[in-house]
Amino acid sequence: MRNPAVFVPHFHWDREWYEPFQVFRHRLVTALDTVLVTAEANPDFRFTVDGQMAAVEDYLEMRPENRERVAALVAEGRLAIGPWLILLDEFLCSGESIVRNLQMGWAAAAELGGSMPIGYLPDMFGHVAQMPQILARAGIEHAALWRGVPGSVDGHAFRWRAPDGSEVRTEFLFDGYDNGLDVLLVPDQIRRALGEYAEMTAERWGDDPVLAMAGTDHNAPDPQLAAWLRRASSDERPITIATLDEYIRKHVRDEVSAVVTGELRSHVRGNILPGVISVRRGLKQRMAVAERIVDHAERLNALWSRRDDSRFLSLAWHKIIESSAHDSVVGSGTDETADQVDARLAEASQAARAVRDAALSEPAALVPSDAHLVANPLPLPRTALVEVDVVAPPEGSVLVATAADGSTHPVQLVSQAPTVLSDERMDASQLERVLRRIHRRELFGRLIDHYELTPGSLVFHLAEVPTSGPFDLLILRREVAAAAAAHPGEWRALTVEEARATALVPVHVPASGLASFRVAPDEAAAVRPTAFTPATATARTLTNGLVDVAVAADGTLNVTGADGTVLRGVGRLVDGGDRGDSYNYAPPARDVLVSEPDEVAVELLENGPLRSRMRVTRVYAWPAALSPDRDLRGTRTVPTPVETLVEVRAGEPFVRVSTAFLNQSADHRLRFHLPLPEPVAGSASAGQFAVTERGLTAEGGWGEYPIPTFPASTFVSAGAATVLLDHVTEYEVVGDGSELAITLLRAIGSISVNIHPLRDEPAASEIPAPGAQDLGVRIENRFAVVPSATGWQAANAVALAEEFRNDVLVTRGTGAAGGDLPADATGVRVEGADVLVSSIRRVTDDEHGAGTEVRLAALSDAGSTVRMTGAFTEAITVDLLGRPLSAAPVADGLELALGPWEIRTVVVR
C-alpha cells in the first residue's frame, strides 16, 4: 500500500488586510455558515478554524444563535478551534503579549468545549526562539508551521527546541498551508493528482501519511469536498479527512530525528517578508506604548489599588492582541486597515491609562497637594529624574526637593512659565464675559487664589494650589456687577499666575514602590553637596562621569564609555531609495545614497547638574521621490532638517538620543549608523524572553533575497555598541561587520509590487498604500547608546533597557496642602542578574482567592538565582495557563533558581 493521505479542511483567515476588518468579517460569516451546514450534513467532514479564536468570536457576534451548533461540533471533535486568540506576528509584540494571546484564546475555546492542543502558526513571518517553551509551559506538545524553517530539515517534521531546552514536535508545512489545493483543482482527477504530488514529495514523507492542507485564505472548502475524497480514496492509497489535531495525534509518529534550536527566520522554504519590521513605523511605536501602559496599569492595580479593574485590563489586552495579528501591526494592509489598528491600539492605551491613573489616585490622596507622588513600575529600587511644575524660587534662593525621610536633593530648573495669562481692555458692560470663563474656581487650567477688584480694574491671581481659603463665585458675580454699574467706561481685566517653573527632581523610589517629595525654596541649598557626579556640558560636549559625548564637525557623536570604549561617528544618517513594498525593501537599480549634511548647527539646551542636553540640527538634501521608472531616485531634492536631541543624565551609563524630522520624501529608507571600533561577526538582539544571536547573513533558497535585516525589541548589541530601544526596530550589521545600522524610516507606497527585485512572487495584490509613505508626518525615534567593550551582558543591558523603557510615574498629591509626606512604600522586589520581570498582576481563583502573579525570565546561558520579597507568605508556581504546579510556604522572601533562559510564573499571597 502506498502512503495514505490525510486531508485537513480549513481556511486561513486574515482578520484584516487588503480589506478592513468589517469587510472581511462579512466574508467570514458566509464562510463559517457554509462550514456548519457542510459539517452537519456530512458526518465525515472535519474543519480546523485556523488556530485562532478571533474568527469564532467575530462570527458568533454576528450569529449568536449558532453558538450551540459550534459547541456541538467541537464536542464531537469535528471542529478544531484555538489555541490562539489571534494569529500574531511574533516579532512585533512583547513576549508577554504572546502569553496573553495564548491564555485568552485557550479560555475562549474552553467556553465552547476546548482548544486543540496544537501550536498552529501557519502564516507568521518567522518565529521567535522561545515559542517552544511558551507552548510547552502551557502543556502543548505539538506545533505546526510553514515559514522560517531552515534548510537542514529535510522531512515533514522536526523537534523545535527553545533556548531553555524545551521542545515541541513540529509539523513542517513545507509546501504551505494550502498544499492540498492543487490536488483538488480537478475533482475527477484527485486520485491521479494526489499520486503525482505524493511521488514528488516522497522524500519528505518517508512512510508517514501525506498531509494535504485543503484550504486557503478567506474561503470555506467546497461543500462537495468529502464526496470528492470518498470517490478518490482507494485500497492502494486510502484518504482520510481529519482536523489538524487528529492528524498529529492519530496519524504521525512522535519520534523525529531533526532538531532545530532557536528562532526560525530562514528564507529557504518560504518568504518571511522582513520589510514588515520597519514599514508604518508609527504602528510599532503605538504597540509598544500600549503594551507598556497596560503593564504599568496591571502592576499598580495589583499592588496599590483596592479596585478590581480586571474587565478594563482584559479589554485593553484584547485590543492589543487583536492588533498584533500578522496582517495588522505589520502594516502590510491598506491605509483603512492601518487606521483601524491605530485606533484599536489607542483604545487599549486609553482603557489601561484609566486603570493606571485610578490606581495612582488612591495613594495620591495621602500625599499633600503641594507635593508629588512617584510610582516605580520596576521591581528594583531606582533613582529617577522626574519633571514637575513648581512655584518658581524667589530671587537669590534655589529649589530643593525634600523626601519623606527628610533628606533633601538639589533641583534643576529647566524652564520658566509666563505669569501674565491675559491682559484685556473692555467696557464695563462686558465684564460678565470674563466671569463666564470661570468654572467654580478653575480659570485657564489653574485655580483662583484671590482677586483684586478696584474701580476700572479686575485682577485674578491664579495658583495650582490656592492658599487664600474659600472662593465663592456668586459673591464675585455680585461684586463685579455692582462695581461695573458704579464705574462705567473702560476696564482692565488682568489674569496672572504665580511665577512657575519646570523643575527636574531626582527621586529615589523603592522596588515596585511609592515615594513622595515636596519642592520648596532653600537658600542654604546653594552650598549643599550632591551625592552624584553631575551632568555637565560645554558648547559641543556632554559628560556625567560615566559617559562622555562630543559632537564632531559633521554632527555625528563620539561616545566614550566608563571602560574607555569609544564609538566614533555615532549617528551618521544614510538615506537611500526604496522601490520595494510593505513586505520587502528593495533599492533602485541605480540608487543615490545621501549621508553628508549640507548644514550642521549645535545648540546647548541644558547644562546640568542633573541633566545636560544639546540639539544637533543637520540639513540634508533628500530626493523627493523615485523617477517614473522607479529604478533611479529623482533629481528634485527637498531640504530636510533632522534634529538630534542628545542627553546625558547623572548616574546613567548611556547617552540618550532622539531624532525627529518632517518627512517630505517618498520611497526611501533612512538608517542611523553606529560605526564599531572593531569588525564583528554577528549581533545579538533582545525580545520575547530571549536574547538571540545572529550572524551577518541570512539563509536563502526560496524566492526571496535573504537581506540580513533583523528585528530587535528591547536592545540590540554588536561588538562594543549596545543600543537600548523604545519599540521594535529593524537593524542590520553592515560594511562586513564594521557598522550597526538601525532603520528610522522606510517609506513605501504599495502593499505589494508585482515585479520586485528581491522577491520572485507578489506577496499580495499591487494595491496603493499612500499612507505608508508617511509624507507630512513628523518622524520621531528614541534610543540610548551604551559603549562597552565586553558586550551586552557586562553592560547590564537587560536592566538598563528596562529602566530606559519604563519611566517612573508622577502625579500631584490630592491631600490637604502642607501636611506630612507619607513614608515610602515597597511592593514586590525581585533581585537577580539578567532577569526580566515581564508581568506583575492581580489574579483570583475560587480555591485560593486573590493573589499577585509574577512572571520572570532568565535572559542568560547561566540562568539566574532570584530572590523575591514582599508582603506574602505563600508562593505557588503555575504554568503559563495559570494551572498550579507546586506550592510552598514563604518565611523570609522567596528564592528561585531559574535555569538558562527559563520562563517561570509564580503566584504569591
Side-chain angles (χ1 to χ4, degrees):
M1 185 178 73
R2 298 174 181 174
N3 297 61
V6 179
F7 278 75
V8 174
H10 75 103
F11 56 43
H12 173 54
W13 206 272
D14 300 291
R15 196 166 184 258
E16 54 199 357
W17 180 19
Y18 57 82
E19 293 282 9
F21 163 58
Q22 296 296 356
V23 173
F24 268 137
R25 173 149 73 170
H26 193 271
R27 299 181 190 176
L28 171 69
V29 170
T30 301
L32 280 179
D33 280 346
T34 300
V35 167
L36 295 187
V37 171
T38 302
E40 290 166 343
N42 190 334
D44 294 337
F45 185 76
R46 304 286 192 273
F47 191 78
T48 299
V49 191
D50 202 29
Q52 56 181 337
M53 285 302 299
V56 180
E57 287 185 350
D58 294 341
Y59 174 76
L60 291 178
E61 189 174 3
M62 295 294 107
R63 293 278 195 268
E65 67 276 12
N66 289 344
R67 186 177 185 85
E68 295 307 316
R69 296 172 67 194
V70 170
L73 290 171
V74 172
E76 293 169 13
R78 297 200 293 130
L79 187 67
I81 60 175
W84 302 101
L85 179 60
I86 203 102
L87 291 181
L88 71 163
D89 187 289
E90 299 166 32
F91 291 95
L92 292 177
C93 62
S94 69
E96 189 62 32
S97 289
I98 297 175
V99 172
R100 301 304 179 91
N101 189 340
L102 186 56
Q103 290 175 343
M104 296 181 84
W106 194 269
E111 293 181 1
L112 288 167
S115 171
M116 71 169 178
I118 311 294
Y120 187 44
L121 305 161
D123 198 30
M124 286 72 164
F125 306 155
H127 305 277
V128 297
Q130 288 280 37
M131 183 58 76
Q133 184 179 180
I134 292 171
L135 295 174
R137 287 184 180 269
I140 296 174
E141 299 176 348
H142 298 270
L145 50 82
W146 167 32
R147 303 183 195 263
V149 178
S152 60
V153 176
D154 55 12
H156 70 94
F158 61 95
R159 303 295 301 179
W160 186 16
R161 182 177 296 162
D164 77 312
S166 300
E167 290 185 354
V168 290
R169 183 201 177 277
T170 303
E171 187 69 24
F172 177 25
L173 309 177
F174 58 89
D175 272 343
Y177 54 78
D178 59 355
N179 70 316
L181 288 190
D182 288 348
V183 173
L184 300 173
L185 280 175
V186 182
D188 291 340
Q189 298 294 318
I190 290 176
R191 185 179 300 174
R192 175 196 58 78
L194 177 60
E196 292 178 357
Y197 179 74
E199 184 177 344
M200 287 188 298
T201 58
E203 291 185 359
R204 290 277 178 184
W205 303 113
D207 296 330
D208 290 338
V210 174
L211 171 63
M213 297 294 289
T216 188
D217 297 358
H218 316 132
N219 283 287
D222 193 292
Q224 298 302 310
L225 175 63
W228 298 343
L229 295 178
R230 278 195 297 271
R231 290 197 300 269
S233 183
S234 67
D235 292 339
E236 263 195 349
R237 193 186 305 278
I239 294 174
T240 302
I241 298 178
T243 64
L244 184 63
D245 181 25
E246 289 174 322
Y247 166 75
I248 289 175
R249 284 190 294 106
K250 297 179 179 180
H251 297 280
V252 300
R253 295 171 292 112
D254 279 348
E255 302 81 18
V256 291
S257 58
V259 176
V260 179
T261 299
E263 71 174 0
L264 305 180
R265 287 194 64 83
S266 171
H267 306 253
V268 73
R269 290 294 300 182
N271 297 337
I272 65 167
L273 311 169
V276 299
I277 301 165
S278 52
V279 76
R280 296 196 195 263
R281 165 207 52 86
L283 290 183
K284 282 67 173 177
Q285 290 176 320
R286 285 183 273 282
M287 171 64 77
V289 167
E291 288 176 324
R292 196 148 51 235
I293 295 176
V294 73
D295 177 39
H296 293 176
E298 282 190 330
R299 297 182 188 217
L300 292 174
N301 180 261
L303 297 173
W304 304 114
S305 176
R306 294 183 297 274
R307 287 177 57 114
D308 180 5
D309 273 327
S310 56
R311 288 187 180 274
F312 282 94
L313 293 168
S314 294
L315 171 65
W317 273 116
H318 203 287
K319 296 287 184 184
I320 288 171
I321 292 164
E322 289 177 74
S323 303
S324 72
H326 72 289
D327 281 309
S328 297
V329 72
V330 296
S332 60
T334 61
D335 291 351
E336 272 184 303
T337 296
D339 289 345
Q340 285 185 314
V341 178
D342 201 355
R344 199 178 295 128
L345 288 171
E347 283 190 76
S349 295
Q350 291 155 9
R353 190 178 73 208
V355 175
R356 180 199 68 190
D357 293 350
L360 269 179
S361 70
E362 294 181 46
L366 305 177
V367 176
S369 59
D370 59 342
H372 290 84
L373 173 72
V374 179
N376 177 14
L378 299 182
L380 278 175
R382 63 197 289 203
T383 297
L385 298 184
V386 299
E387 285 190 5
V388 292
D389 181 64
V390 297
V391 178
E395 189 76 28
S397 65
V398 296
L399 293 176
V400 296
T402 303
D405 62 3
S407 61
T408 58
H409 306 278
V411 166
Q412 177 181 331
L413 290 182
V414 294
S415 67
Q416 193 144 339
T419 57
V420 176
L421 302 184
S422 70
D423 189 355
E424 303 166 277
R425 303 279 179 172
M426 62 189 66
D427 187 77
S429 62
Q430 300 298 307
L431 285 175
E432 176 62 26
R433 292 171 46 216
V434 175
L435 302 185
R436 290 183 204 144
R437 301 169 182 165
I438 303 170
H439 301 277
R440 289 167 290 283
R441 193 167 189 166
E442 180 270 328
L443 176 60
F444 297 155
R446 299 293 185 192
L447 298 177
I448 296 173
D449 183 76
H450 64 281
Y451 59 90
E452 299 171 6
L453 183 60
T454 58
S457 174
L458 174 59
V459 181
F460 291 106
H461 294 269
L462 308 185
E464 188 167 18
V465 181
T467 60
S468 62
F471 169 80
D472 192 323
L473 180 58
L474 294 178
I475 292 176
L476 172 63
R477 289 184 182 278
R478 186 173 66 242
E479 291 177 350
V480 169
H487 303 282
E490 185 179 77
W491 275 64
R492 183 189 188 190
L494 179 65
T495 304
V496 297
E497 71 166 324
E498 58 192 348
R500 303 200 66 82
T502 300
L504 195 63
V505 182
V507 185
H508 183 76
V509 199
S512 305
L514 305 174
S516 57
F517 67 90
R518 178 184 280 117
V519 175
D522 185 348
E523 295 182 6
V527 295
R528 184 177 289 117
T530 60
F532 50 81
T533 301
T536 60
T538 68
R540 299 181 77 94
T541 67
L542 305 172
T543 185
N544 65 358
L546 297 174
V547 63
D548 302 330
V549 184
V551 182
D554 63 355
T556 61
L557 311 176
N558 296 328
V559 182
T560 305
D563 64 357
T565 299
V566 182
L567 304 176
R568 302 186 186 279
V570 171
R572 185 171 69 92
L573 299 180
V574 180
D575 185 77
D578 190 343
R579 61 146 301 168
D581 53 29
S582 67
Y583 293 101
N584 295 80
Y585 160 80
R590 300 181 301 282
D591 201 1
V592 174
L593 299 180
V594 180
S595 60
E596 299 300 323
D598 293 337
E599 303 173 31
V600 178
V602 182
E603 179 186 3
L604 179 61
L605 302 177
E606 296 175 18
N607 184 13
L610 300 175
R611 182 175 72 190
S612 291
R613 281 177 162 180
M614 64 175 58
R615 180 167 49 229
V616 180
T617 303
R618 291 172 284 178
V619 181
Y620 295 86
W622 290 341
L626 296 178
S627 62
D629 67 1
R630 300 185 61 77
D631 276 329
L632 179 68
R633 300 192 80 179
T635 56
R636 186 174 74 85
T637 61
V638 181
T640 305
V642 180
E643 295 180 353
T644 302
L645 185 65
V646 188
E647 174 183 320
V648 297
R649 298 182 180 183
E652 289 187 342
F654 50 80
V655 54
R656 295 173 181 257
V657 178
S658 59
T659 61
F661 63 93
L662 183 69
N663 184 44
Q664 304 171 79
S665 299
D667 300 305
H668 69 125
R669 181 182 68 175
L670 177 67
R671 301 208 284 190
F672 182 101
H673 284 240
L674 294 90
L676 304 173
E678 300 288 341
V680 298
S683 63
S685 78
Q688 298 84 32
F689 304 121
V691 180
T692 302
E693 295 187 359
R694 304 182 176 105
L696 301 182
T697 60
E699 184 182 36
W702 187 248
E704 179 180 62
Y705 185 83
I707 293 178
T709 54
F710 300 111
S713 293
T714 56
F715 68 80
V716 57
S717 184
T722 297
V723 182
L724 313 179
L725 301 170
D726 179 65
H727 61 279
V728 175
T729 300
E730 174 192 88
Y731 78 91
E732 182 180 1
V733 178
V734 298
D736 295 324
S738 64
E739 290 189 78
L740 174 63
I742 294 174
T743 302
L744 302 183
L745 172 69
R746 201 166 73 81
I748 52 87
S750 181
I751 290 180
S752 177
V753 293
N754 292 336
I755 304 299
H756 193 292
L758 304 182
R759 190 186 66 233
D760 288 348
E761 61 177 316
S765 300
E766 196 168 87
I767 299 172
Q773 296 282 16
D774 278 334
L775 287 169
V777 175
R778 184 170 172 82
I779 305 299
E780 298 180 349
N781 290 274
R782 77 178 189 106
F783 35 88
V785 179
V786 187
S788 174
T790 48
W792 65 268
Q793 252 179 313
N796 199 25
V798 172
L800 293 182
E802 284 297 281
E803 287 194 24
F804 175 70
R805 291 167 66 90
N806 294 276
D807 291 331
V808 296
L809 307 169
V810 59
T811 187
R812 180 172 285 280
T814 57
D820 293 336
L821 298 176
D824 292 355
T826 302
V828 173
R829 178 168 181 160
V830 179
E831 301 170 88
D834 295 326
V835 170
L836 170 72
V837 178
S838 74
S839 172
I840 300 175
R841 64 164 175 162
R842 184 200 308 260
V843 292
T844 304
D845 65 53
D846 294 337
E847 181 179 352
H848 300 95
T852 301
E853 181 189 85
V854 182
R855 189 158 16 259
L856 315 98
L859 300 190
S860 79
D861 289 328
S864 185
T865 299
V866 176
R867 178 170 172 76
M868 187 179 348
T869 54
F872 51 84
T873 57
E874 180 189 42
I876 302 174
T877 299
V878 300
D879 71 5
L880 283 186
L881 296 179
R883 298 172 295 205
L885 301 174
S886 63
V890 177
D892 181 26
L894 177 65
E895 300 282 347
L896 298 172
L898 299 186
W901 307 103
E902 180 186 353
I903 303 167
R904 183 87 63 90
T905 309
V906 178
V907 176
V908 293
R909 291 182 170 85

